[in-house]
Amino acid sequence: HNKIITVIATTLAISLSFSSANIDKITAAADNVNTKSNNQAASLAGPYIDQASGETMYNYVYSGSYPQSEVASDKLTDAIKNAVYSEDGISDVNGEKYKKQVKKYATSDYDTVGYYRYEPIKWRIIEENNDEMKLQCFSVIDGYALSDGNAEKLFEWLNSDFLKMAFNGISSVICGESEKVTLLDDNELENENYGFRSFEQKKASYTDYAKGKGVYCNEKSDAASYWIKSSENDKEMSGYADTDGVSVFSLLNGNRGIVPVITIKKVPYI
């Protein structure tokens, strides 16, 4: 059910132009279009149960962009290595955007430099109504280190540096004023309406960039741990989801992954 099928956006009338927000388009995709019932092609609907397999299925949208895949070996050209990078480590090379980042390995003190290509951010739709979609990033896309569970600075970072990197800092289609980007809380991670019916759905894959930022990643299970905020206090962490999808609430420090959540307007763009 992991097959992703990109749908021609004009067919579903969901190819949207958000140039002012650096969201060039929103493209829909689905877990498995072929087994969907009730004529549900990839669309802007939330999670559903596939009648044939009984599995939880998702629809996805792609919007914004972020450094994700590492450029290495013969693909790491002199043009990329010798480009002029900004103070933030960003450069455009032959029409492609790259991020230069010192890698911090979770299991080693050895640091080196990595080069990461900006790619569209994949979001899964976890909730949908007539006007809005709640989106959870498909993967652990970055990392953030905490020492005491107080996440105030983390949320400041999400709504400043992350927002700028992902959406060029102008995000009029994302709902919210002072806080446009957040994380799932402990109650939401147990919400079956969001598709979280098993540990498998709670697991999150990771990008090369997140791994290079020092997030602990389990290559065998292709998953990384990520922060969960508290349902009682928006500025504190409740714990984290481990690489097997099990929630851990006893440790509120360390470098865990970031799986951002946004709510985006559907109208008047559709």
Side-chain angles (χ1 to χ4, degrees):
H1 72 282
N2 291 323
K3 183 178 180 182
I4 304 303
I5 302 176
T6 301
V7 176
I8 299 174
T10 53
T11 301
L12 297 173
I14 54 175
S15 178
L16 315 181
S17 176
F18 298 143
S19 57
S20 63
N22 197 30
I23 307 177
D24 298 325
K25 64 180 179 179
I26 289 184
T27 304
D31 274 319
N32 193 338
V33 171
N34 294 327
T35 62
K36 298 183 78 171
S37 59
N38 301 323
N39 199 28
Q40 277 187 305
S43 66
L44 300 183
Y48 63 96
I49 302 296
D50 179 71
Q51 293 182 2
S53 65
E55 297 181 16
T56 299
M57 310 293 276
Y58 289 93
N59 289 305
Y60 302 93
V61 295
Y62 293 81
S63 65
S65 63
Y66 210 73
Q68 296 182 59
S69 297
E70 184 174 7
V71 183
S73 302
D74 58 338
K75 294 183 179 179
L76 182 56
T77 64
D78 288 339
I80 296 173
K81 290 189 291 185
N82 299 328
V84 177
Y85 287 84
S86 68
E87 292 183 0
D88 296 327
I90 298 172
S91 183
D92 287 297
V93 181
N94 298 326
E96 296 279 354
K97 193 173 182 180
Y98 296 91
K99 169 80 170 173
K100 180 180 179 181
Q101 178 72 39
V102 175
K103 293 193 278 189
K104 301 285 186 181
Y105 291 102
T107 56
S108 171
D109 293 329
Y110 176 73
D111 296 339
T112 187
V113 172
Y115 299 84
Y116 302 88
R117 181 184 295 108
Y118 270 74
E119 296 166 332
I121 303 173
K122 179 180 178 181
W123 308 83
R124 60 182 179 182
I125 305 172
I126 58 175
E127 188 175 51
E128 175 268 340
N129 58 39
N130 291 333
D131 300 322
E132 299 174 351
M133 296 180 292
K134 191 169 188 175
L135 309 178
Q136 180 199 26
C137 191
F138 178 73
S139 58
V140 171
I141 202 166
D142 208 324
Y144 198 94
L146 291 176
S147 58
D148 57 3
N150 187 315
E152 188 169 350
K153 289 185 178 179
L154 187 159
F155 287 104
E156 289 177 0
W157 172 81
L158 277 173
N159 288 278
S160 55
D161 293 354
F162 173 82
L163 197 61
K164 180 180 178 181
M165 282 182 64
F167 297 105
N168 203 24
I170 307 171
S171 47
S172 59
V173 297
I174 302 176
C175 300
E177 295 182 7
S178 60
E179 183 173 282
K180 291 178 176 289
V181 187
T182 186
L183 305 174
L184 287 181
D185 65 38
D186 43 21
N187 286 340
E188 290 174 318
L189 200 62
E190 303 299 323
N191 189 342
E192 292 190 359
N193 291 329
Y194 286 1
F196 301 130
R197 294 179 171 85
S198 71
F199 292 137
E200 192 64 30
Q201 271 93 36
K202 298 175 187 179
K203 287 168 56 177
S205 59
Y206 56 89
T207 64
D208 294 338
Y209 183 74
K211 182 179 179 181
K213 290 289 291 288
V215 175
Y216 174 70
C217 302
N218 187 328
E219 295 185 7
K220 187 174 181 180
S221 63
D222 188 31
S225 61
Y226 61 93
W227 289 115
I228 309 166
K229 73 176 182 179
S230 169
S231 56
E232 297 180 356
N233 187 333
D234 248 7
K235 301 303 180 187
E236 291 184 358
M237 288 296 99
S238 175
Y240 64 90
D242 209 349
T243 58
D244 55 3
V246 177
S247 300
V248 178
F249 300 111
S250 58
L251 297 174
L252 297 176
N253 55 27
N255 190 357
R256 309 294 175 187
I258 296 296
V259 182
V261 173
I262 60 175
T263 299
I264 197 167
K265 302 172 187 176
K266 287 174 61 178
V267 292
Y269 304 102
I270 296 178

Short mmCIF file of all heavy atoms in Angstrom, two decimals, residues 52-104:
data_model
loop_
_atom_site.label_atom_id
_atom_site.label_comp_id
_atom_site.label_asym_id
_atom_site.label_seq_id
_atom_site.Cartn_x
_atom_site.Cartn_y
_atom_site.Cartn_z
N ALA A 52 -10.99 -3.47 0.50
CA ALA A 52 -10.40 -4.71 0.02
C ALA A 52 -9.37 -5.28 1.01
O ALA A 52 -9.34 -6.47 1.27
CB ALA A 52 -9.74 -4.49 -1.34
N SER A 53 -8.53 -4.39 1.58
CA SER A 53 -7.44 -4.86 2.44
C SER A 53 -7.69 -4.63 3.92
O SER A 53 -7.04 -5.23 4.77
CB SER A 53 -6.14 -4.15 2.06
OG SER A 53 -6.23 -2.75 2.33
N GLY A 54 -8.63 -3.71 4.25
CA GLY A 54 -8.87 -3.35 5.64
C GLY A 54 -7.82 -2.42 6.21
O GLY A 54 -7.83 -2.13 7.41
N GLU A 55 -6.92 -1.93 5.38
CA GLU A 55 -5.84 -1.06 5.84
C GLU A 55 -6.25 0.40 5.83
O GLU A 55 -7.09 0.81 5.03
CB GLU A 55 -4.60 -1.25 4.96
CG GLU A 55 -4.01 -2.65 5.01
CD GLU A 55 -2.77 -2.77 4.14
OE1 GLU A 55 -2.22 -1.72 3.77
OE2 GLU A 55 -2.36 -3.90 3.85
N THR A 56 -5.61 1.17 6.71
CA THR A 56 -5.79 2.62 6.69
C THR A 56 -5.02 3.19 5.50
O THR A 56 -3.85 2.87 5.30
CB THR A 56 -5.25 3.25 7.98
OG1 THR A 56 -5.98 2.73 9.09
CG2 THR A 56 -5.40 4.77 7.94
N MET A 57 -5.68 4.02 4.73
CA MET A 57 -5.07 4.62 3.55
C MET A 57 -5.12 6.14 3.68
O MET A 57 -5.99 6.70 4.37
CB MET A 57 -5.80 4.18 2.28
CG MET A 57 -6.00 2.67 2.17
SD MET A 57 -4.46 1.77 1.97
CE MET A 57 -4.23 1.91 0.21
N TYR A 58 -4.19 6.81 3.01
CA TYR A 58 -4.11 8.26 3.07
C TYR A 58 -4.09 8.86 1.67
O TYR A 58 -3.66 8.23 0.71
CB TYR A 58 -2.82 8.71 3.79
CG TYR A 58 -2.80 8.45 5.28
CD1 TYR A 58 -2.24 7.27 5.77
CD2 TYR A 58 -3.32 9.37 6.17
CE1 TYR A 58 -2.20 7.03 7.13
CE2 TYR A 58 -3.28 9.13 7.54
CZ TYR A 58 -2.73 7.97 8.02
OH TYR A 58 -2.70 7.72 9.36
N ASN A 59 -4.55 10.10 1.60
CA ASN A 59 -4.28 10.94 0.45
C ASN A 59 -3.19 11.92 0.84
O ASN A 59 -3.01 12.24 2.03
CB ASN A 59 -5.54 11.70 0.02
CG ASN A 59 -6.57 10.77 -0.61
OD1 ASN A 59 -6.28 10.06 -1.56
ND2 ASN A 59 -7.77 10.77 -0.06
N TYR A 60 -2.45 12.39 -0.15
CA TYR A 60 -1.29 13.25 0.10
C TYR A 60 -1.35 14.50 -0.75
O TYR A 60 -1.96 14.51 -1.82
CB TYR A 60 0.01 12.51 -0.22
CG TYR A 60 0.19 11.23 0.55
CD1 TYR A 60 -0.22 10.01 0.00
CD2 TYR A 60 0.79 11.23 1.80
CE1 TYR A 60 -0.06 8.82 0.70
CE2 TYR A 60 0.95 10.04 2.49
CZ TYR A 60 0.52 8.84 1.95
OH TYR A 60 0.69 7.68 2.64
N VAL A 61 -0.71 15.53 -0.26
CA VAL A 61 -0.46 16.71 -1.08
C VAL A 61 1.02 17.06 -0.97
O VAL A 61 1.68 16.71 0.00
CB VAL A 61 -1.33 17.93 -0.67
CG1 VAL A 61 -2.79 17.66 -0.92
CG2 VAL A 61 -1.09 18.32 0.77
N TYR A 62 1.53 17.71 -1.98
CA TYR A 62 2.91 18.18 -2.00
C TYR A 62 2.88 19.71 -2.04
O TYR A 62 2.32 20.28 -2.96
CB TYR A 62 3.66 17.65 -3.22
CG TYR A 62 3.87 16.16 -3.20
CD1 TYR A 62 2.85 15.30 -3.60
CD2 TYR A 62 5.08 15.62 -2.81
CE1 TYR A 62 3.04 13.92 -3.59
CE2 TYR A 62 5.27 14.24 -2.80
CZ TYR A 62 4.24 13.39 -3.19
OH TYR A 62 4.44 12.03 -3.18
N SER A 63 3.46 20.33 -1.03
CA SER A 63 3.54 21.79 -1.05
C SER A 63 4.73 22.25 -0.23
O SER A 63 5.14 21.59 0.72
CB SER A 63 2.24 22.42 -0.51
OG SER A 63 2.06 22.11 0.85
N GLY A 64 5.28 23.40 -0.61
CA GLY A 64 6.51 23.86 -0.01
C GLY A 64 7.69 23.02 -0.48
O GLY A 64 7.53 22.07 -1.24
N SER A 65 8.87 23.38 -0.05
CA SER A 65 10.07 22.60 -0.37
C SER A 65 11.05 22.71 0.78
O SER A 65 11.04 23.69 1.54
CB SER A 65 10.71 23.08 -1.68
OG SER A 65 11.16 24.41 -1.56
N TYR A 66 11.93 21.70 0.91
CA TYR A 66 12.85 21.63 2.04
C TYR A 66 14.03 20.76 1.64
O TYR A 66 13.89 19.85 0.82
CB TYR A 66 12.13 21.01 3.25
CG TYR A 66 12.62 21.50 4.58
CD1 TYR A 66 12.32 22.78 5.03
CD2 TYR A 66 13.39 20.69 5.40
CE1 TYR A 66 12.76 23.22 6.26
CE2 TYR A 66 13.85 21.13 6.63
CZ TYR A 66 13.52 22.41 7.06
OH TYR A 66 13.97 22.86 8.28
N PRO A 67 15.23 21.01 2.21
CA PRO A 67 16.35 20.12 1.93
C PRO A 67 16.05 18.72 2.45
O PRO A 67 15.65 18.55 3.60
CB PRO A 67 17.52 20.77 2.70
CG PRO A 67 16.89 21.67 3.71
CD PRO A 67 15.60 22.13 3.11
N GLN A 68 16.24 17.72 1.59
CA GLN A 68 15.86 16.36 1.99
C GLN A 68 16.91 15.33 1.58
O GLN A 68 17.56 14.74 2.42
CB GLN A 68 14.49 16.00 1.39
CG GLN A 68 13.37 16.88 1.96
CD GLN A 68 12.00 16.52 1.43
OE1 GLN A 68 11.53 15.38 1.59
NE2 GLN A 68 11.32 17.47 0.80
N SER A 69 17.10 15.09 0.28
CA SER A 69 18.03 14.05 -0.17
C SER A 69 19.47 14.57 -0.21
O SER A 69 19.72 15.66 -0.73
CB SER A 69 17.64 13.55 -1.56
OG SER A 69 16.36 12.94 -1.53
N GLU A 70 20.39 13.78 0.33
CA GLU A 70 21.80 14.17 0.27
C GLU A 70 22.35 13.91 -1.13
O GLU A 70 22.06 12.89 -1.75
CB GLU A 70 22.61 13.40 1.29
CG GLU A 70 24.07 13.84 1.34
CD GLU A 70 24.87 13.18 2.45
OE1 GLU A 70 24.32 12.28 3.12
OE2 GLU A 70 26.04 13.58 2.63
N VAL A 71 23.13 14.84 -1.60
CA VAL A 71 23.81 14.70 -2.88
C VAL A 71 25.21 14.18 -2.60
O VAL A 71 25.99 14.81 -1.89
CB VAL A 71 23.88 16.04 -3.64
CG1 VAL A 71 24.52 15.85 -5.00
CG2 VAL A 71 22.49 16.65 -3.77
N ALA A 72 25.53 13.01 -3.12
CA ALA A 72 26.81 12.39 -2.79
C ALA A 72 27.37 11.67 -4.01
O ALA A 72 26.75 11.61 -5.08
CB ALA A 72 26.63 11.41 -1.63
N SER A 73 28.56 11.12 -3.82
CA SER A 73 29.27 10.35 -4.84
C SER A 73 29.42 11.15 -6.13
O SER A 73 29.73 12.34 -6.08
CB SER A 73 28.56 9.02 -5.10
OG SER A 73 28.47 8.28 -3.90
N ASP A 74 29.14 10.54 -7.28
CA ASP A 74 29.37 11.22 -8.54
C ASP A 74 28.35 12.32 -8.81
O ASP A 74 28.53 13.13 -9.71
CB ASP A 74 29.37 10.21 -9.69
CG ASP A 74 28.06 9.43 -9.77
OD1 ASP A 74 27.36 9.34 -8.76
OD2 ASP A 74 27.77 8.90 -10.86
N LYS A 75 27.25 12.35 -8.02
CA LYS A 75 26.26 13.40 -8.20
C LYS A 75 26.67 14.70 -7.51
O LYS A 75 26.10 15.76 -7.76
CB LYS A 75 24.90 12.94 -7.69
CG LYS A 75 24.31 11.78 -8.49
CD LYS A 75 22.94 11.39 -8.00
CE LYS A 75 22.36 10.25 -8.83
NZ LYS A 75 21.01 9.83 -8.34
N LEU A 76 27.66 14.60 -6.62
CA LEU A 76 28.16 15.79 -5.93
C LEU A 76 29.22 16.43 -6.81
O LEU A 76 30.40 16.11 -6.75
CB LEU A 76 28.73 15.42 -4.57
CG LEU A 76 29.25 16.58 -3.71
CD1 LEU A 76 28.17 17.62 -3.48
CD2 LEU A 76 29.78 16.05 -2.38
N THR A 77 28.80 17.34 -7.64
CA THR A 77 29.69 17.95 -8.63
C THR A 77 30.49 19.10 -8.02
O THR A 77 30.17 19.61 -6.95
CB THR A 77 28.85 18.48 -9.81
OG1 THR A 77 27.99 19.54 -9.33
CG2 THR A 77 28.01 17.38 -10.43
N ASP A 78 31.52 19.50 -8.75
CA ASP A 78 32.31 20.65 -8.31
C ASP A 78 31.45 21.91 -8.28
O ASP A 78 31.67 22.79 -7.44
CB ASP A 78 33.49 20.86 -9.27
CG ASP A 78 34.56 19.79 -9.10
OD1 ASP A 78 34.60 19.15 -8.03
OD2 ASP A 78 35.35 19.59 -10.05
N ALA A 79 30.48 22.00 -9.19
CA ALA A 79 29.60 23.17 -9.22
C ALA A 79 28.83 23.30 -7.91
O ALA A 79 28.63 24.41 -7.39
CB ALA A 79 28.63 23.07 -10.40
N ILE A 80 28.39 22.17 -7.35
CA ILE A 80 27.67 22.19 -6.07
C ILE A 80 28.62 22.48 -4.92
O ILE A 80 28.33 23.32 -4.06
CB ILE A 80 26.93 20.85 -5.85
CG1 ILE A 80 25.87 20.63 -6.93
CG2 ILE A 80 26.30 20.81 -4.46
CD1 ILE A 80 25.22 19.27 -6.89
N LYS A 81 29.76 21.83 -4.90
CA LYS A 81 30.70 22.00 -3.79
C LYS A 81 31.30 23.41 -3.76
O LYS A 81 31.54 23.96 -2.67
CB LYS A 81 31.82 20.96 -3.89
CG LYS A 81 31.38 19.55 -3.60
CD LYS A 81 32.54 18.59 -3.51
CE LYS A 81 33.21 18.37 -4.86
NZ LYS A 81 34.27 17.33 -4.78
N ASN A 82 31.54 23.98 -4.93
CA ASN A 82 32.23 25.27 -5.00
C ASN A 82 31.29 26.46 -5.15
O ASN A 82 31.74 27.59 -5.35
CB ASN A 82 33.22 25.26 -6.16
CG ASN A 82 34.29 24.19 -6.00
OD1 ASN A 82 34.68 23.87 -4.88
ND2 ASN A 82 34.75 23.62 -7.11
N ALA A 83 30.00 26.21 -5.07
CA ALA A 83 29.03 27.30 -5.19
C ALA A 83 29.16 28.26 -4.01
O ALA A 83 29.69 27.91 -2.94
CB ALA A 83 27.62 26.74 -5.25
N VAL A 84 28.68 29.47 -4.19
CA VAL A 84 28.66 30.46 -3.11
C VAL A 84 27.39 30.25 -2.29
O VAL A 84 26.28 30.38 -2.80
CB VAL A 84 28.71 31.89 -3.68
CG1 VAL A 84 28.61 32.90 -2.54
CG2 VAL A 84 29.98 32.10 -4.49
N TYR A 85 27.56 29.90 -1.03
CA TYR A 85 26.43 29.63 -0.15
C TYR A 85 26.20 30.82 0.78
O TYR A 85 27.15 31.47 1.22
CB TYR A 85 26.66 28.36 0.66
CG TYR A 85 26.54 27.10 -0.18
CD1 TYR A 85 27.63 26.63 -0.93
CD2 TYR A 85 25.35 26.39 -0.24
CE1 TYR A 85 27.52 25.49 -1.71
CE2 TYR A 85 25.24 25.25 -1.02
CZ TYR A 85 26.33 24.80 -1.75
OH TYR A 85 26.20 23.69 -2.53
N SER A 86 24.93 31.07 1.07
CA SER A 86 24.57 32.17 1.97
C SER A 86 24.98 31.83 3.40
O SER A 86 25.45 30.72 3.69
CB SER A 86 23.06 32.41 1.91
OG SER A 86 22.36 31.32 2.49
N GLU A 87 24.77 32.77 4.31
CA GLU A 87 25.06 32.51 5.73
C GLU A 87 24.24 31.36 6.26
O GLU A 87 24.64 30.67 7.20
CB GLU A 87 24.80 33.78 6.55
CG GLU A 87 25.77 34.92 6.27
CD GLU A 87 25.50 36.11 7.17
OE1 GLU A 87 24.56 36.04 7.99
OE2 GLU A 87 26.24 37.11 7.05
N ASP A 88 23.07 31.14 5.66
CA ASP A 88 22.21 30.02 6.06
C ASP A 88 22.58 28.73 5.36
O ASP A 88 21.92 27.70 5.55
CB ASP A 88 20.74 30.35 5.76
CG ASP A 88 20.24 31.52 6.58
OD1 ASP A 88 20.70 31.67 7.73
OD2 ASP A 88 19.39 32.28 6.08
N GLY A 89 23.61 28.77 4.52
CA GLY A 89 24.06 27.57 3.83
C GLY A 89 23.24 27.20 2.61
O GLY A 89 23.17 26.03 2.24
N ILE A 90 22.63 28.18 1.95
CA ILE A 90 21.74 27.91 0.82
C ILE A 90 22.33 28.50 -0.45
O ILE A 90 22.89 29.60 -0.44
CB ILE A 90 20.34 28.50 1.09
CG1 ILE A 90 19.72 27.82 2.32
CG2 ILE A 90 19.43 28.32 -0.12
CD1 ILE A 90 18.43 28.45 2.79
N SER A 91 22.19 27.76 -1.54
CA SER A 91 22.67 28.24 -2.83
C SER A 91 21.82 27.65 -3.96
O SER A 91 21.24 26.57 -3.81
CB SER A 91 24.13 27.85 -3.04
OG SER A 91 24.63 28.38 -4.26
N ASP A 92 21.74 28.37 -5.07
CA ASP A 92 21.10 27.87 -6.29
C ASP A 92 22.19 27.49 -7.28
O ASP A 92 23.07 28.31 -7.59
CB ASP A 92 20.18 28.93 -6.90
CG ASP A 92 18.91 29.12 -6.08
OD1 ASP A 92 18.16 28.15 -5.99
OD2 ASP A 92 18.69 30.23 -5.56
N VAL A 93 22.12 26.27 -7.78
CA VAL A 93 23.11 25.78 -8.73
C VAL A 93 22.38 25.20 -9.93
O VAL A 93 21.65 24.21 -9.81
CB VAL A 93 24.01 24.69 -8.09
CG1 VAL A 93 25.05 24.22 -9.10
CG2 VAL A 93 24.67 25.21 -6.83
N ASN A 94 22.54 25.87 -11.07
CA ASN A 94 21.90 25.41 -12.31
C ASN A 94 20.41 25.18 -12.15
O ASN A 94 19.85 24.18 -12.60
CB ASN A 94 22.58 24.12 -12.80
CG ASN A 94 24.04 24.32 -13.14
OD1 ASN A 94 24.44 25.38 -13.62
ND2 ASN A 94 24.86 23.31 -12.87
N GLY A 95 19.76 26.11 -11.44
CA GLY A 95 18.32 26.04 -11.28
C GLY A 95 17.84 25.16 -10.14
O GLY A 95 16.63 25.06 -9.90
N GLU A 96 18.75 24.50 -9.44
CA GLU A 96 18.39 23.66 -8.30
C GLU A 96 18.85 24.34 -7.00
O GLU A 96 19.91 24.97 -6.97
CB GLU A 96 19.04 22.28 -8.40
CG GLU A 96 18.57 21.46 -9.59
CD GLU A 96 17.24 20.77 -9.34
OE1 GLU A 96 16.74 20.83 -8.20
OE2 GLU A 96 16.71 20.16 -10.29
N LYS A 97 18.07 24.15 -5.94
CA LYS A 97 18.38 24.77 -4.66
C LYS A 97 19.00 23.73 -3.72
O LYS A 97 18.50 22.60 -3.63
CB LYS A 97 17.11 25.35 -4.04
CG LYS A 97 17.34 26.28 -2.86
CD LYS A 97 16.00 26.92 -2.45
CE LYS A 97 16.17 27.90 -1.31
NZ LYS A 97 14.86 28.51 -0.94
N TYR A 98 20.10 24.13 -3.05
CA TYR A 98 20.81 23.20 -2.19
C TYR A 98 21.07 23.84 -0.83
O TYR A 98 21.17 25.06 -0.70
CB TYR A 98 22.15 22.79 -2.81
CG TYR A 98 22.01 22.03 -4.09
CD1 TYR A 98 22.01 22.70 -5.32
CD2 TYR A 98 21.88 20.65 -4.09
CE1 TYR A 98 21.88 22.00 -6.51
CE2 TYR A 98 21.76 19.94 -5.28
CZ TYR A 98 21.75 20.63 -6.49
OH TYR A 98 21.61 19.93 -7.66
N LYS A 99 21.21 22.97 0.17
CA LYS A 99 21.56 23.39 1.52
C LYS A 99 22.85 22.70 1.93
O LYS A 99 22.97 21.47 1.84
CB LYS A 99 20.44 23.00 2.48
CG LYS A 99 20.76 23.12 3.96
CD LYS A 99 20.65 24.53 4.48
CE LYS A 99 20.74 24.55 6.01
NZ LYS A 99 20.81 25.90 6.55
N LYS A 100 23.83 23.48 2.36
CA LYS A 100 25.10 22.95 2.85
C LYS A 100 25.02 22.91 4.37
O LYS A 100 24.73 23.93 5.01
CB LYS A 100 26.25 23.84 2.38
CG LYS A 100 27.63 23.40 2.82
CD LYS A 100 28.68 24.36 2.28
CE LYS A 100 30.08 23.97 2.72
NZ LYS A 100 31.10 24.92 2.21
N GLN A 101 25.26 21.74 4.95
CA GLN A 101 25.02 21.57 6.38
C GLN A 101 26.08 20.68 7.00
O GLN A 101 26.44 19.63 6.44
CB GLN A 101 23.63 20.94 6.60
CG GLN A 101 23.27 20.66 8.04
CD GLN A 101 22.98 21.93 8.82
OE1 GLN A 101 22.36 22.85 8.29
NE2 GLN A 101 23.40 21.99 10.07
N VAL A 102 26.61 21.10 8.14
CA VAL A 102 27.51 20.22 8.90
C VAL A 102 26.67 19.10 9.50
O VAL A 102 25.69 19.35 10.19
CB VAL A 102 28.25 20.99 10.01
CG1 VAL A 102 29.08 20.03 10.86
CG2 VAL A 102 29.14 22.07 9.41
N LYS A 103 27.06 17.87 9.22
CA LYS A 103 26.30 16.72 9.72
C LYS A 103 26.67 16.42 11.17
O LYS A 103 27.84 16.45 11.55
CB LYS A 103 26.56 15.50 8.83
CG LYS A 103 26.01 15.65 7.43
CD LYS A 103 26.00 14.33 6.68
CE LYS A 103 27.33 14.02 6.08
NZ LYS A 103 27.27 12.84 5.16
N LYS A 104 25.65 16.13 11.95
CA LYS A 104 25.82 15.76 13.35
C LYS A 104 25.24 14.36 13.53
O LYS A 104 24.02 14.19 13.58
CB LYS A 104 25.09 16.74 14.28
CG LYS A 104 25.54 18.18 14.16
CD LYS A 104 26.89 18.39 14.82
CE LYS A 104 27.29 19.85 14.83
NZ LYS A 104 28.61 20.07 15.45
#
